Amino acid sequence: MNIYIITTAGFPNYGDELLLETWLEHIVKKYPKAVIWVDCHSPGMVSAMFSDNFRKVRFTDFVWRVMWDCPFHSSSESMVYGLGAWTTHQVTWKRFHHAARHIQQADVVHIIGAGFINNIWPRHLAILGIVRAAPYLKKNVKLLLTGAGFMPLGDNDMTLLALVLKDFHHIDVRDQMSYERLQAKGFVDESKLTQSGDDTFLKAMVPLEKKEQEPRICLCIQGDFWEEISTTDMLKKVALTIRNSFPDILPQIRFYEFIPSVDNRFYDELSGHLGNIEYFSFEQIFYSGLDIKSSDVVITSRFHMHLLAARLGARGVWINSKPGYYDIKHQSLVDSGSCWQELSVTSEEATIEFAQPDLEKLEKCYLLKLVLANQIYGEK
């Protein structure tokens, strides 16, 4: 069994790394003798992070290199480039053609955590075309796409997307809007289409008991994607919300870094508003875990902090750093059972409810993803 995984892990970003770890654990357990190649934009980084635990897994950047050679800037143009990458545009990447054989020899090609394939990063759409048009050596190669979040994507792009996805064996999405857009007008064969949420739902998680513990405030405020929102107003709103929610004495406050050297952007300013804040680096989280308890209160703009903290039983609220993208992502978690409210930067409300997640509903999301994982990889 030759399995070829395509991922955006390696930036690094804790959510992306957890996605890869989760799928590797599942696949290696099911197929311990499989030859697994992971194709990502930073194979050196990913190898350094994962080789100790997955010694037989190999790392490359072939598909990403071909995609980066795409000279176009729109989603549709990128998809067309991808479809012609093996023929019309082959000359642009001939210098690393020897790396192509691993995807060509695959029994399974699996694009995981595909929330990076949309108009936020139009060139990424080329990856779909590259995968579909590859000259595979095996007739029954299985093409898989899971955890996809295609919004935002225009109507014309959706029509071409449907054509590109036609030969995929299974397309799984994480949000209702992506599902409905693909379902509309018969874009995708419904027998191939599912909505099982983000791929990190495949990770088994058990909430830590409260044991009458005092709540901690856990902050995860990303340093990117704030072009449309005043960060000054956002930080003031976060500080005001915390002070209004805990008027007598502030609990212990933690700040979590999901992307190194990016998510530390607002730490000093929040410390100025709120006093001493304990900092948890990406490295601490990656190697030691998230350490969120069900007694904790979370304020986050990061999607995977929302997902993971809610699954661990924490109450919380989310901030929409990029309308049209992050609101769709976060709403998918609310619909899945997090029950968290949005903390609106522009709202004049002085207080907000930190809602308790519906753990039973969130557990069903895990089971749904597990069923999907077993279905698409079949029996040994």
Side-chain angles (χ1 to χ4, degrees), residues 8 16 30 53-54 230 240 247 331:
T8 191
D16 296 332
K30 201 169 188 68
N53 292 331
F54 300 98
S230 167
L240 180 64
Q331 187 60 47

Side-chain angles (χ1 to χ4, degrees), residues 76-96:
S76 291
E77 288 175 323
S78 297
M79 280 187 275
V80 172
Y81 165 84
L83 291 171
W86 296 89
T87 53
T88 307
H89 304 293
Q90 186 176 6
V91 66
T92 64
W93 53 267
K94 193 172 183 179
R95 66 189 182 280
F96 46 89

Side-chain angles (χ1 to χ4, degrees), residues 145-347:
L145 178 72
T146 60
F150 292 120
M151 298 301 106
L153 207 61
D155 290 340
N156 291 336
D157 296 327
M158 289 298 298
T159 301
L160 182 54
L161 175 67
L163 292 174
V164 174
L165 293 178
K166 185 178 179 181
D167 291 335
F168 275 68
H169 180 270
H170 200 96
I171 302 104
D172 177 70
V173 299
R174 69 182 177 198
D175 62 86
Q176 185 67 22
M177 188 175 294
S178 293
Y179 183 84
E180 290 176 351
R181 292 286 298 279
L182 284 176
Q183 191 183 42
K185 301 179 183 178
F187 274 159
V188 173
D189 183 346
E190 290 196 26
S191 67
K192 297 181 178 181
L193 180 63
T194 55
Q195 181 192 346
S196 70
D198 187 78
D199 276 352
T200 50
F201 274 115
L202 184 58
K203 189 81 169 179
M205 302 185 75
V206 179
L208 300 176
E209 296 296 327
K210 291 182 180 180
K211 296 181 179 178
E212 305 302 323
Q213 290 183 339
E214 292 295 322
R216 301 174 301 191
I217 298 172
C218 302
L219 304 176
C220 186
I221 311 297
Q222 66 198 79
D224 51 6
F225 283 103
W226 292 104
E227 293 86 354
E228 301 172 39
I229 296 172
S230 167
T231 55
T232 299
D233 292 344
M234 179 271 296
L235 294 174
K236 287 181 179 179
K237 188 60 178 285
V238 169
L240 180 64
T241 299
I242 292 172
R243 292 198 176 279
N244 286 341
S245 301
F246 300 93
D248 298 325
I249 185 170
L250 289 180
Q252 177 188 3
I253 303 176
R254 293 176 156 195
F255 191 100
Y256 294 79
E257 174 191 71
F258 271 33
I259 298 183
S261 75
V262 172
D263 286 355
N264 60 0
R265 175 181 172 188
F266 302 121
Y267 172 74
D268 289 338
E269 193 165 347
L270 283 169
S271 295
H273 285 300
L274 298 167
N276 185 44
I277 300 177
E278 189 176 7
Y279 194 86
F280 280 72
S281 68
F282 168 86
E283 187 174 16
Q284 289 174 279
I285 298 167
F286 181 76
Y287 290 108
S288 302
L290 199 55
D291 187 27
I292 297 288
K293 295 181 172 60
S294 56
S295 55
D296 291 336
V297 172
V298 178
I299 299 176
T300 184
S301 62
R302 285 255 175 242
F303 170 76
H304 280 107
M305 180 61 151
H306 180 174
L307 187 156
L308 298 170
R311 290 189 65 197
L312 291 169
R315 297 174 293 148
V317 294
W318 56 276
I319 305 169
N320 180 17
S321 64
K322 188 171 184 63
Y325 176 61
Y326 270 109
D327 48 346
I328 296 171
K329 293 178 66 173
H330 284 287
Q331 187 60 47
S332 74
L333 300 180
V334 177
D335 296 340
S336 297
S338 80
C339 303
W340 292 11
Q341 295 183 34
E342 178 184 1
L343 179 62
S344 173
V345 174
T346 58
S347 172

